[in-house]
């Protein structure tokens, strides 16, 4: 998935940025891909991909943890998928 060596070629043009108080957009499919592979990497002793395949709960929990960690850095995460009640509680 993606363009081979894209990050390697773009890195010389990049700069470190502090996202505190800024709006960021997270690519949904890229985010899902990242979380899925992060979960797969947590199972290094699996004998095959089927054994390492994470549950939906594990993927969901990892995604929420990642977003909460991002909030810990001062980035506001827009959560359009929450119900009105859940938005008031968070």
């Amino acid at each position: 998935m993606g363009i081979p060596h894209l990050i390697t070629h773009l890195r010389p043009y990049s700069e470190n940025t502090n996202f505190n108080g800024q709006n960021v957009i997270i690519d949904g499919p890229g985010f899902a891909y990242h979380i899925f592979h992060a979960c797969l990497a947590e199972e290094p002793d699996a004998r095959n991909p089927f054994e390492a395949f994470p549950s939906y709960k594990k993927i969901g929990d990892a995604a929420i943890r990642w977003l909460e960690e991002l909030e810990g850095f001062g980035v506001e995460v827009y959560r359009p998928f929450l119900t009105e009640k859940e938005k008031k509680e968070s």
Side-chain angles (χ1 to χ4, degrees), residues 20 65-77 79:
N20 286 352
R65 255 191 334 273
W66 195 90
L67 292 171
E68 287 174 347
E69 187 175 328
L70 192 62
E71 287 177 320
F73 290 117
V75 175
E76 185 176 336
V77 175
R79 300 175 185 216

Side-chain angles (χ1 to χ4, degrees), residues 49-61:
F50 298 107
E51 203 173 273
F53 205 85
S55 67
Y56 286 122
K57 180 173 178 12
K58 184 173 185 172
I59 293 170
D61 290 346

Side-chain angles (χ1 to χ4, degrees), residues 3-81:
I3 301 169
H5 311 291
L6 179 64
I7 292 175
T8 305
H9 294 308
L10 293 179
R11 185 158 290 150
Y13 306 101
S14 67
E15 60 183 54
N16 289 332
T17 303
N18 183 336
F19 290 112
N20 286 352
Q22 293 191 24
N23 292 328
V24 296
I25 297 173
I26 299 172
D27 173 58
F31 176 61
Y33 181 85
H34 171 76
I35 295 297
F36 177 75
H37 284 277
C39 291
L40 278 180
E42 291 177 0
E43 302 294 336
D45 297 330
R47 295 173 296 197
N48 60 58
F50 298 107
E51 203 173 273
F53 205 85
S55 67
Y56 286 122
K57 180 173 178 12
K58 184 173 185 172
I59 293 170
D61 290 346
I64 296 299
R65 255 191 334 273
W66 195 90
L67 292 171
E68 287 174 347
E69 187 175 328
L70 192 62
E71 287 177 320
F73 290 117
V75 175
E76 185 176 336
V77 175
Y78 174 63
R79 300 175 185 216
F81 47 85

